[in-house]
Amino acid sequence: QVQLVESGGELVQAGGSLRLSCAASRRTFGDYHMGWFRQAPGKEREFVAAIIWIGSSTNYADSVKGRFTISRDKAKNTLFLQMNGLKPEDTAVYYCAACFQFPVQAAHECFSWGQGTQVTVSS
């Protein structure tokens, strides 16, 4: 089991940027596909971005494509999500996850989750 801890969420104005981090507990962090999801109040958890376990292939939700960038540092067992051009509709709790397959599309494709970090974008 991979233990994941997200950080970096905060209140930011529309148009601003944030970088989320996800620290993994295991040295084999690099063995899994990794994803970012988000969940707004009253809504289902939705896919945001994912990165393949070997190589650098990524996939993104249409709503964030061109604004968000997922990356990983295997030496530091850390996953990142750079978010630029933030919009109020990006407000949500953001979760990182280890996933079974790539490309990732839905939460049921992932098996290990962090506790989440709150991102709030004010208009």
Side-chain angles (χ1 to χ4, degrees):
Q1 189 79 359
V2 180
Q3 293 183 333
L4 305 168
V5 179
E6 303 93 338
S7 62
E10 62 181 71
L11 173 64
V12 63
Q13 288 189 335
S17 298
L18 281 177
R19 188 173 83 154
L20 305 184
S21 299
C22 172
S25 63
R26 287 182 58 178
R27 290 181 177 273
T28 53
F29 166 74
D31 291 342
Y32 299 105
H33 311 304
M34 297 297 299
W36 285 99
F37 289 75
R38 66 188 182 187
Q39 189 166 18
K43 295 187 177 181
E44 293 187 354
R45 192 167 297 188
E46 66 172 359
F47 168 72
V48 174
I51 187 165
I52 200 168
W53 79 276
I54 187 168
S56 58
S57 294
T58 57
N59 72 300
Y60 296 91
D62 288 344
S63 59
V64 306
K65 204 170 293 183
R67 300 188 297 124
F68 290 11
T69 303
I70 188 172
S71 61
R72 68 198 302 172
D73 184 335
K74 290 186 178 182
K76 296 182 178 180
N77 294 337
T78 304
L79 179 73
F80 301 101
L81 184 68
Q82 178 67 43
M83 306 187 294
N84 299 327
L86 283 162
K87 304 175 181 180
E89 52 263 43
D90 294 319
T91 295
V93 177
Y94 282 71
Y95 300 88
C96 65
C99 306
F100 293 111
Q101 63 187 48
F102 181 87
V104 179
Q105 296 293 344
H108 65 80
E109 298 168 351
C110 304
F111 62 91
S112 199
W113 296 86
Q115 83 293 343
T117 186
Q118 176 71 49
V119 173
T120 303
V121 184
S122 64
S123 57

